Amino acid sequence: MSWETGDHGTPEVRPAADLPRRTVVRPYMLTRGRTTSSLGVFELHAPVLALVVPGQLGRATPEDRMIVELCQTPMSVAELAARLHTPVGVVRVLVGDLVDARMVQVRQAGDRAEHRDVRLLERLLEGIRAL
Amino acid sequence: MHSEFAPPAPDTVPAPPAPGPTGLPVSMKIVVAGGYAVGKTTFVGTISEIEPLTTEADITVESLGVDFAGGVSTKTGTTVAMDFGRITLGPDMVLYLFGTPGQDRFLFLWDELVRGAVGGIVLVDTRRIEDCFPAVDYFEHLGIPFVVAVNLFNGVYRHHPREVREALAVPANVPVVLCDARNRLHVKETLVLLVEGALRRAQMAGAAV
């Protein structure tokens, strides 16, 4: 049931350029059909940081393992999606599960209105000027 | 909770690698908008510390909020690619630049892109100046700080910024600048202008409270 053989054709008949290193599993199979996380919609630029090292994961899916590996240093939701070759909606659900499991944490900037915070905007300006 | 997880027994769990809420940098976002092929990815790539990456937004599921099969998505729908880049500004702050999908028919995706954004850069190609109207309208309507940047494709410009300003009828507080999207200094100065505007606005909002 998880193999993509339906109306989109088999991966073999696709042009090579159209074949990212994605699994042949339909993207939302990875989330068992769920399209939202219990924690709401993470912003694209929200950074994710692992709270555990991959060795602490026990039995985990390859995707969860990769997220924990990539997030040993903070990495945004959008960047995770790009590096996993997975739609961002799927990554949000997976990250939400990992937050629930206390394997990662996410910082949601919008919740804190950080983009309108004078102190942070001053810091941003200073940082861009120094580039 | 993920059923696949078999968390290690409590006594074998070492302390997490010193994260805490402060372990995560502040992440800022600026949106780069404009018509199709106006140079958005070039603009992002000029200043990004990584090659611009592409992420796919799933229209059916994410932006329309439609779930066709009662909780189980059997169709993954159309995906729209968005390019983005990253600039690390220190251990405590990182800036992401997101290019909007080029075509107007994906305008509804912008709500998602713009949420939590410091502001926007509207890139203009003076040969197709009308292509940037949706972006200008969008930022104006939502009251999001933005800068209009006239992309200099061959290092030459056909229209003075004043003419572009008149054509777009943008308010006086919106900067209109010339910017070669391949020129790092131009891109940097354009970002500085945007953040200065956003900062002024935040200061005024703070003073008004």
Side-chain angles (χ1 to χ4, degrees), chain A residues 9-131:
Chain A
T10 59
E12 288 77 23
V13 300
R14 285 190 194 174
D18 190 32
L19 245 188
R21 283 184 290 113
R22 179 185 285 167
T23 63
V24 290
V25 179
R26 282 181 184 276
Y28 283 86
M29 288 301 295
L30 297 174
T31 66
R32 299 193 300 285
R34 290 165 305 143
T35 57
T36 53
S37 158
S38 60
L39 299 163
V41 178
F42 296 126
E43 289 162 354
L44 289 168
H45 62 303
V48 184
L49 178 65
L51 296 170
V52 295
V53 294
Q56 291 173 276
L57 275 175
R59 279 178 58 235
T61 63
E63 289 76 22
D64 288 338
R65 188 167 294 279
M66 278 197 70
I67 291 171
V68 168
E69 280 171 8
L70 289 169
C71 293
Q72 291 301 305
T73 54
M75 183 173 282
S76 68
V77 170
E79 209 168 332
L80 280 174
R83 298 203 186 275
L84 293 171
H85 300 273
T86 303
V88 76
V90 173
V91 168
R92 282 181 171 134
V93 177
L94 297 178
V95 168
D97 286 343
L98 288 165
V99 171
D100 281 342
R102 294 170 196 244
M103 300 291 177
V104 302
Q105 60 175 343
V106 183
R107 182 183 180 119
Q108 281 274 72
D111 295 349
R112 310 165 188 224
E114 286 176 338
H115 57 298
R116 292 191 221 103
D117 183 303
V118 170
R119 198 179 47 84
L120 291 176
L121 287 172
E122 283 170 350
R123 169 82 186 79
L124 175 64
L125 188 55
E126 186 187 308
I128 295 172
R129 280 189 177 139
L131 285 174

Side-chain angles (χ1 to χ4, degrees), chain B residues 125-144:
Chain B
D125 178 349
T126 53
R127 291 166 299 186
R128 294 170 292 149
I129 198 164
E130 65 281 0
D131 284 5
C132 77
F133 290 171
V136 170
D137 286 346
Y138 187 91
F139 289 131
E140 244 181 25
H141 180 70
L142 288 184
I144 293 165

Side-chain angles (χ1 to χ4, degrees), chain B residues 105-161:
Chain B
R105 62 198 172 97
F106 297 130
L107 209 56
F108 59 85
L109 268 180
W110 289 26
D111 294 345
E112 144 111 35
L113 269 176
V114 161
R115 193 163 59 102
V118 169
I121 307 288
V122 178
L123 274 181
V124 179
D125 178 349
T126 53
R127 291 166 299 186
R128 294 170 292 149
I129 198 164
E130 65 281 0
D131 284 5
C132 77
F133 290 171
V136 170
D137 286 346
Y138 187 91
F139 289 131
E140 244 181 25
H141 180 70
L142 288 184
I144 293 165
F146 70 102
V147 169
V148 174
V150 179
N151 195 0
L152 297 168
F153 280 93
N154 302 309
V156 293
Y157 69 92
R158 296 149 178 262
H159 300 274
H160 192 274

